[in-house]
Structure formats: structure tokens, C-alpha cells
Amino acid sequence: MGLDPRVTFPVELLHEIIALAALPPNQAELRDLCLVSRQFKDIVQPLLFSNINVGGFSSSVRTRLAQLRDLSDGNFAASSLARTITIDFTASFTASFMNDPAKVIDLMERTMLKRLPAAIRSFKNVNRVICIIGPDDPDWIYDLIVNGMKSYPLTDLAICFPLQITTSFMAVCNLQRLCVECVDGNRYGRGYWFRVSMPELTAKLISQSPNLSHLEVSLPRTTISTLFKVLDADHSKAPLSITFLSVDGLTVSPEDLLPVMRHFRKLKYLAVRNTVYYVLNRHIWEIFLNQRIHLTGIVTDLNGRHSLGSYLKSFQGLEVLALHHIEIRPLSADLLDTLLQTVVEQHSNSLLELQIFLGWGDRSWILPLREGLVSLLSSFTNLRRFGVAIGSRFGDACELQRLLEPLFSMCTDSFPELEELTLRTSGSPFDQRDLPRCFRVRHSKPQAVTRNNVHSGVLHDAISIYRSNNLTIDSFWIKAPETIYIPRRDSTTGAVRYVPST
């Protein structure tokens, strides 16, 4: 049923409001919104079922079996609404399966062999597939997935696999977005190898996708030129127009990067993390400077031997900058001040997001705030999102609150457009949600971590006891490692404080 013709509220605006209501820190339940009215249901259901998880949505074998049967029999009406599917059966296979000498096929495996391709084909409007396959999954699952995807107008593929896989996925072509995350099978003690390596598969997929614009790769012990060797071997093929590149764990050197720079002439967003940074940071920015490639967003590991400042001086218009620190020894304060001074001079009006996740050990490179640093940061009056590493060298909540109060005051007074303040403590696990918003695109499941309850508790108390008369309930929210805090007015004092979002 369509919208009531008596409703004069613009439908497009209603779509925007409902989509925003489902985002943090509001996190409204879309299922509850479906119950408001038929009009809301017509708008909310496509959002609710836009991304459907096949297999990994439940720990119950019975529930996973029922989903496969319903999908393959065409009894799941919501499948027509899905635009993205996540295929994840890692919970269905364990190490005991690999150690089973008889290789007995259980009920789950028999059902998958019979119904998985038909279940995947039941999604008629999917253009994005996220595949997560664990180290203990049998190799036949690859063929089933690819067989089911053949009917898709697939333009966006994300795959997270062990180090070696079968050739099945080499049949995929004409992608616009590709994400490849490698999980090293050796560390799981696997006793066999598949037929093709992940770098080989990635190079093949790239060569078969002439319209590829978004490339995200996390492959240990791989060079960036390896990813383009199949494409560049055919001299008749035109270079790609990559606009987004994220590399994690790759080896990047000038000799390796220069031959493939023709594919990055239109690059706008670049993330380079956990690379061979002593080579990377010394030369990569010189290459981008010489080739006059002006980026809109940058995520990079920072150390004392970089030419990033010279590169940032060469243009204007940077919108996103995230600095990470991966060396054990501290960096001089002058290094950050000099770099930020360059950003102020060239990009203060355009910068919308700044992250300074710099520190060493349990210390923060930011706190306590220095007067000179406050002066530089206060120049970024258009910031929407700001993030800092606060270390973990603090005693109790009152001591931490005294360190945080100048930071909160600076955000309130200097960043009138600020929407989100991110705080990271030393030792907190890196999460893709900590990246700038435009870079939060990786698809693997977060690893289980042991949370530092002492630091989390102190940080929670420090945020909770903060009060301000300068804040409003529309002020920025605070994103801590485990919780999002939103501003609320104290009914007794009238001051604004931060409370956990529910």
C-alpha cells in the first residue's frame, strides 16, 4: 500500500528522517518504526531488509537450516528488498570437521549442498555481496556461493578468506568496488592448501573489472604492484580510474608504486596502514606531490621520517585527515605542531574530520592539551568529527576528568559544527568504526577482545561527572571504546551532562 494521499509531508524528507533515526547515537529500532503506520512500514521495510545475513545471523543450527529452506523454496518475501547479502557460515564448521577422518557429512552440510545456491539466487535485486569464510570451512562452499551469485548484477564484492582459496571466484567480473581481506590459514594449523593464492585472485578480479573505482586490500606479504600485474601484462587495456584505495599490511615502495600510478590519477581517498612505513612515509608523498594528485581524504601511519607536510602544502581542499602512530618511541611535539600548522594554512576551511590517534605506551600525545596545540586546533572551525588518543596514564576518574575538561571546552567553543568526538585509550583494540566515516568500509567480523574494564570504568566515570552550561542537548556526542554518550540536560541544575546512549 502506498502513502496516504492526504499526507502532505514530502516523502523524500520522511525517508531522510527515518534513515537518520536508525543511526547512532539515536539508534531507533527499525522494527518498532514499522508498527507506527502503514506509511512508515512502506518506508522502513526496505531499510530493515536492505542487508540480510545468510547463515551468520544465528548461532542455532535449526534456525540456519530453516532460513536455507525458506530462501530456496521462495518463502522469504523480504529477499526481494535486499540490496546487500552477507554470506557467513563460519559458525557451521569447526576444527573437529577438519580432523574427522571419516569426513561424515552432517545435516547442516547436506542442506547447504542441496539448497545454498538456490537460497542465494532467491535474492533478485542484490548488487553487493560480502563473503566471510572461515579457516575450517570445506572448499566446496566456494563453488556453491559462486554458482548462486551467477544471476546477480554484481558490482560490489567483499571477501574475507584464508590465505589460499579455489579458482571459483575468478569467474566474477565487472566489479566497481572490491574488498579483499586475507586471514592467514597457517596460523590456524591447516594441513592443506587450496589452488590459488589471494594475491593471484585479487589480481585476476582487478583485471576483469575495467570500471573498478574502489579497492580495499588487506593482504600480508604482498606488494601493491602484484595486484595489477595481470592487468598491466595486457598492454591493450586502459588504466583504471581508482578513486578510493585502502591498503593494510602491504609492502609499498617507490619502485613498487611508480609503475602502477597510472591507475591512481583520479585518486581521492587513500588509507595506508601497517605498511612498511619506514619506506612508505619517506617517499610516497613525494610521488603524489610530483604527480600532482590531490587527495580529499588521508589515513596514514605517522613517524619522524615523512614528507607528508610538503605534500599537504602543495594543494588545498583536504576534508579528512587521520594520523596514527605505530612506533614505540615518542615523537617530538614540534613534528605534530609543524604538520598541523601546514594543515591550518592550506586546509582549515575545508577540513571536516580530524583524527589524532598518536601516542606511545600508556601515554597520549595530546593530553594534557598544550596552549600552542589548542591554538592550532581551534582554527578548524568547520570540523564535524574529531578524534584523539587519550592514553591510559591516569589514576582515577577525577584526574581524567581534569584532563578531558579542556578538551571538551575546546570542542564546545571552537567547533560549532562538531557532531562526534572519539576518544581512544591505550590498549583498546583498533576497530574499523574508529576510522573516518568515509573509510569505514571493511566487512570482516570484529575479533573477540578482552576489554580493559579498569580504563573503561574510569573513562565512563570521567565522562559522566562532566557538567557544562555551555553545552546544549544538540551538542556533539562522545564515542568511547565501548559506549556512545549523548548530551542530556540535568533537570536539577540545568547543566548538560553526558549519558550512555541506549
Side-chain angles (χ1 to χ4, degrees), residues 75-379:
N75 296 328
F76 191 66
S79 61
S80 63
L81 301 175
R83 298 296 181 269
T84 300
I85 61 169
T86 300
I87 304 172
D88 179 9
F89 284 94
T90 55
S92 301
F93 304 97
T94 63
S96 60
F97 170 81
M98 304 306 303
N99 298 326
D100 178 12
K103 296 294 186 292
V104 177
I105 303 292
D106 62 18
L107 178 60
M108 186 68 203
E109 293 153 6
R110 290 199 300 271
T111 304
M112 290 179 66
L113 287 166
K114 180 180 179 181
R115 295 182 177 270
L116 183 56
I120 295 175
R121 284 194 296 269
S122 69
F123 297 96
K124 304 299 184 184
N125 300 305
V126 165
N127 55 26
R128 184 186 191 200
V129 174
I130 303 170
C131 295
I132 302 174
I133 297 182
D136 299 315
D137 294 358
D139 55 354
W140 46 258
I141 196 172
Y142 302 96
D143 298 320
L144 298 180
I145 293 173
V146 174
N147 184 26
M149 293 193 315
K150 285 181 179 178
S151 61
Y152 290 171
L154 192 63
T155 59
D156 188 340
L157 176 64
I159 48 180
C160 180
F161 286 112
L163 188 61
Q164 308 280 330
I165 66 172
T166 67
T167 58
S168 303
F169 277 87
M170 286 190 172
V172 178
C173 59
N174 296 320
L175 296 172
Q176 296 176 15
R177 297 166 60 96
L178 173 63
C179 171
V180 178
E181 290 190 70
C182 179
V183 179
D184 191 342
N186 284 333
R187 70 185 183 198
Y188 293 95
R190 301 187 72 158
Y192 62 92
W193 294 96
F194 290 114
R195 295 192 292 270
V196 62
S197 70
M198 288 297 290
E200 286 182 76
L201 170 66
T202 306
K204 185 68 173 177
L205 292 176
I206 290 174
S207 70
Q208 296 172 168
S209 303
N211 297 318
L212 189 69
S213 62
H214 179 115
L215 179 61
E216 187 184 359
V217 181
S218 177
L219 292 174
R221 301 182 300 278
T222 302
T223 62
I224 193 167
S225 61
T226 301
L227 306 179
F228 294 89
K229 65 178 183 180
V230 177
L231 176 63
D232 290 341
D234 187 346
H235 299 291
S236 64
K237 291 188 176 181
L240 301 177
S241 296
I242 303 292
T243 59
F244 182 105
L245 176 66
S246 175
V247 293
D248 189 341
L250 274 71
T251 300
V252 183
S253 67
E255 297 77 13
D256 184 55
L257 182 60
L258 279 171
V260 298
M261 282 300 294
R262 67 192 189 103
H263 303 293
F264 304 134
R265 301 295 184 193
K266 297 183 179 180
L267 192 67
K268 290 299 179 184
Y269 296 93
L270 174 65
V272 280
R273 298 196 68 252
N274 302 314
T275 57
V276 183
Y277 60 91
Y278 63 86
V279 173
L280 169 71
N281 282 335
R282 196 181 307 165
H283 298 287
I284 186 173
W285 304 116
E286 295 176 6
I287 295 174
F288 279 86
L289 173 62
N290 295 334
Q291 304 221 3
R292 298 181 179 179
I293 296 175
H294 299 160
L295 297 171
T296 301
I298 296 174
V299 175
T300 183
D301 297 326
L302 186 66
N303 60 71
R305 298 176 301 278
H306 68 83
S307 55
L308 178 59
S310 298
Y311 169 71
L312 292 176
K313 280 184 179 179
S314 67
F315 70 102
Q316 294 180 335
L318 186 71
E319 296 180 2
V320 177
L321 178 62
L323 303 174
H324 298 254
H325 182 41
I326 57 176
E327 291 186 324
I328 297 176
R329 65 179 183 274
L331 302 178
S332 67
D334 292 342
L335 178 64
L336 177 60
D337 290 356
T338 302
L339 184 60
L340 286 179
Q341 183 62 47
T342 299
V343 181
V344 168
E345 294 171 356
Q346 299 295 112
H347 310 282
S348 59
N349 292 328
S350 61
L351 198 68
L352 302 178
E353 185 160 2
L354 176 64
Q355 291 185 352
I356 310 178
F357 291 155
L358 304 175
W360 65 98
D362 57 358
R363 300 183 182 183
S364 168
W365 211 22
I366 301 299
L367 301 181
L369 282 174
R370 294 175 286 108
E371 183 177 346
L373 184 58
V374 172
S375 177
L376 287 170
L377 292 174
S378 298
S379 301

Side-chain angles (χ1 to χ4, degrees), residues 401-415:
Q401 195 270 335
R402 286 192 293 270
L403 291 174
L404 292 177
E405 186 167 356
L407 175 65
F408 294 164
S409 297
M410 180 188 68
C411 291
T412 303
D413 299 336
S414 303
F415 307 147

